[in-house]
Amino acid sequence: MDFVSDSLGCEHMTTILTFGTFDVLHVGHLRILERAASLGDRLAVGISSDALNFAKKGRLPVFPQNERMRLVSALRCVDSVFLEESLAQKRDYLLQHAADVLAMGDDWRGRFDEYSDICRVVYFERTPSVSTTEIIEKIRL
Ligand code: C2G
């Protein structure tokens, strides 16, 4: 258990938040979720909606949002999942979940530093040699 003290000196459970599409779930996804979970007591995961993905990447994910949410929420290291509908709402999501830590892969390094006024921001090294895009290409061949 990892407790932190609030301004009154009371201890509370630490909440970690992370975000991602988690399409075609693979070991790189599992590793970042496990490392994020190890930073505190509870891990909540914002799963990018299908619409957000379409806006960001110009294509829909292979697995629809409800299936991606079910898969991620079934992992032992994950306590809860919610739908991330807009990148611009990140601050609201962090506040709603009372996040102590925001954890992301280092492909996002620096991009979320602006939230360090409300939580600790941690970037983990991406797992090399595995990506959803490469898996999709391999299956297509
Ligand atoms: N990841 C990793 N190693 C890989 C692949 C992914 O550590 N080989 C991490 C990414 O760095 C990210 C998380 O797994 O932190 C989810 O990756 P994606 O599903 O690709 O997420 P993305 O589409 O980048 O969405 O608001 C932020 C977005 O929702 C992130």
Side-chain angles (χ1 to χ4, degrees):
M1 287 267 174
D2 188 12
F3 290 99
V4 292
S5 296
D6 64 21
S7 55
L8 298 174
C10 302
E11 291 182 333
H12 72 272
M13 300 242 298
T14 53
T15 299
I16 317 301
L17 231 68
T18 192
F19 295 88
T21 310
F22 301 100
D23 191 25
V24 189
L25 200 63
H26 58 65
V27 75
H29 295 146
L30 178 61
R31 286 195 67 241
I32 195 160
L33 294 171
E34 287 176 339
R35 285 175 290 167
S38 76
L39 296 176
D41 300 307
R42 293 182 42 77
L43 175 63
V45 185
I47 308 283
S48 299
S49 70
D50 293 341
L52 175 56
N53 255 270
F54 194 79
K56 253 182 3 181
K57 302 181 183 171
R59 65 164 180 84
L60 285 172
V62 174
F63 294 136
Q65 62 194 37
N66 60 329
E67 294 183 16
R68 290 182 286 113
M69 289 178 85
R70 282 199 60 188
L71 286 162
V72 171
S73 68
L75 299 175
R76 197 184 303 145
C77 57
V78 174
D79 295 287
S80 61
V81 296
F82 60 96
L83 202 59
E84 180 192 29
E85 301 199 72
S86 153
L87 295 179
Q89 275 174 256
K90 205 149 261 128
R91 183 173 291 274
D92 296 335
Y93 295 130
L94 289 164
L95 291 171
Q96 276 163 22
H97 288 86
D100 298 286
V101 183
L102 168 60
M104 289 300 297
D106 63 3
D107 44 331
W108 291 91
R109 185 174 295 284
R111 303 268 297 276
F112 299 125
D113 290 357
E114 63 186 284
Y115 305 118
S116 53
D117 59 335
I118 51 169
C119 63
R120 196 175 135 211
V121 181
V122 173
Y123 301 98
F124 286 114
E125 196 181 314
R126 257 176 86 91
T127 300
S129 316
V130 58
S131 78
T132 298
T133 311
E134 280 172 36
I135 294 169
I136 294 171
E137 275 166 18
K138 229 184 255 180
I139 293 169
R140 276 212 183 111
L141 290 177

